[in-house]
Each structure stands twice: as structure tokens, then as C-alpha cells.
Amino acid sequence: MVKKTGLFLWICFYCMVCAGNAAGDIYMYIDGSGIIHFTNVPTSTDYKVYIKEKPKKINSLAYIRKYDDFIKKAQKKYGVEFFLIKAVIKAESDFNERAVSKRGAKGLMQIMPANFKSLFVEDPFNPLQNIMGGTLYLKRLLMRYEHKLPLVLAAYNAGPQAVDKYQRIPPYKETQNYVRKVMKIYSQYKNS
């Protein structure tokens, strides 16, 4: 089921990114077999809006370049795309290197303390360490979910156990919103 669902999600994401600056809503529905379907042209009322697109340029404040050198270093070391790393940072902390979540995640990429050691992070508030650790985690998730970005992002937010349990993006509103948000930011960064 992960492969089928992941394929649909990946095709949807690929179509959105390749569409360039063209605006268009993306619709989704889950059929009786649990398979997720996406389209930009809904053929029935079963489809619900998944991503509402509005063409716009990212303002200069949203597109912070302060950490670009660190992101490039992480990209080079782990082979994770620059704009994906940057989109995760934007969604996770809005580029606040001192950010701490209510669950205790810390720094730019909101790394949980339990993961510091495995991601080689000694100081989560050190921007370079945090970006390198968060990118290593993204790399591991990309490999685990065969580069199916919606599943990778869902696992980054809710944990791999939740994605494995449901064999798709978990039915958590926070995680579903997170996946939409990061995919939208990622698309905007790539097309700006």
C-alpha cells in the first residue's frame, strides 16, 4: 500500500512542481480501498481541495538567505535538494535558530533531543549543526520512503512509525497541513 499511495502522492507533487508558475488547485479523495487520488480537474464531488494555489512571489523576508551557505554545505554532503532543506527550515522555525517547540524540538530544523546523538548534533542552536543534522534526517527518510516526498515530510513531522502504521500520510490534521505547507513553500522556492 505504501508504494501505491506513495506513487500517487509523488505524481501529484511532481505535477505541481513542473507546472511552474501556473496556478491551479489540487484535489484529493481516498477511495474505498484506501488509495489516495489527486487531480487538478475533479471528476466527482468526492474530491476535496487539498492545495489551494495562488500565484505569488515570495517576499524578501520569507526568502532569507542568511543560512544559504550552511544549506549548500548540507546539500553537498547528503545530496538533499537545497530548496527542500530551505522549505523545511521555513516551515519548522521560520528561520529562527533559537526556536523551541512545545514538544521540545529545537533549532532551525526543530530536531528532537532524542535524535541529537544519532544526527551528530551537540548544540541544536548552532545553525550549522542543526541544518546538517536535520538534512541527515531528511536523507534517511528519503531513502526509507524511496524519495516519495509527501511520505518523507509526513515522517519528518509525525515520525516514521506513524507513516508505517497507516501506510500513507497519517490522518492527523497537523501532519496533513504540514505536508501541504512544506510542499507549497518548496514549490514557491523552486519557481522563484
Side-chain angles (χ1 to χ4, degrees):
M1 181 64 99
V2 169
K3 289 189 178 190
K4 286 183 182 179
T5 303
L7 179 61
F8 284 115
L9 293 171
W10 179 245
I11 289 169
C12 171
F13 177 73
Y14 180 79
C15 291
M16 287 180 352
V17 171
C18 291
N21 290 326
D25 297 339
I26 302 296
Y27 299 84
M28 173 191 86
Y29 93 91
I30 302 173
D31 68 20
S33 301
I35 296 174
I36 301 173
H37 301 267
F38 292 94
T39 185
N40 63 336
V41 183
T43 55
S44 78
T45 58
D46 292 333
Y47 282 94
K48 303 296 178 210
V49 175
Y50 183 70
I51 296 177
K52 184 84 171 159
E53 276 293 317
K54 293 180 184 173
K56 64 180 180 178
K57 291 286 183 186
I58 297 173
N59 66 41
S60 60
L61 292 176
Y63 194 80
I64 294 175
R65 291 184 168 85
K66 181 177 179 180
Y67 303 106
D68 282 4
D69 289 341
F70 295 159
I71 296 169
K72 287 175 186 172
K73 186 172 183 171
Q75 174 189 23
K76 184 176 180 181
K77 182 167 185 172
Y78 297 115
V80 176
E81 188 179 357
F82 176 88
F83 291 118
L84 175 59
I85 300 166
K86 194 160 192 154
V88 170
I89 293 171
K90 172 68 177 161
E92 288 288 344
S93 69
D94 198 24
F95 299 97
N96 177 0
E97 66 189 59
R98 304 297 301 173
V100 178
S101 77
K102 60 186 173 193
R103 293 186 183 131
K106 297 179 179 178
L108 290 165
M109 297 188 78
Q110 293 290 277
I111 300 172
M112 292 297 290
N115 295 327
F116 291 167
K117 187 174 182 180
S118 70
L119 298 175
F120 310 105
V121 174
E122 292 179 14
D123 177 3
F125 300 116
N126 175 304
L128 178 59
Q129 285 185 32
N130 194 283
I131 290 170
M132 295 301 282
T135 303
L136 173 57
Y137 189 51
L138 277 174
K139 174 67 173 182
R140 290 174 180 169
L141 293 173
L142 284 162
M143 293 171 62
R144 182 176 184 152
Y145 296 107
E146 300 172 340
H147 292 264
K148 294 173 179 90
L149 193 53
L151 296 179
V152 169
L153 296 173
Y156 195 96
N157 178 263
Q161 301 82 0
V163 173
D164 294 346
K165 176 182 176 183
Y166 291 100
Q167 300 291 296
R168 60 183 172 91
I169 297 172
Y172 312 145
K173 190 166 189 72
E174 175 190 332
T175 301
Q176 293 170 351
N177 289 340
Y178 178 83
V179 171
R180 276 193 289 267
K181 179 179 182 178
V182 177
M183 287 175 62
K184 184 174 183 178
I185 295 167
Y186 176 59
S187 179
Q188 289 174 334
Y189 281 165
K190 284 187 68 128
N191 293 308
S192 65

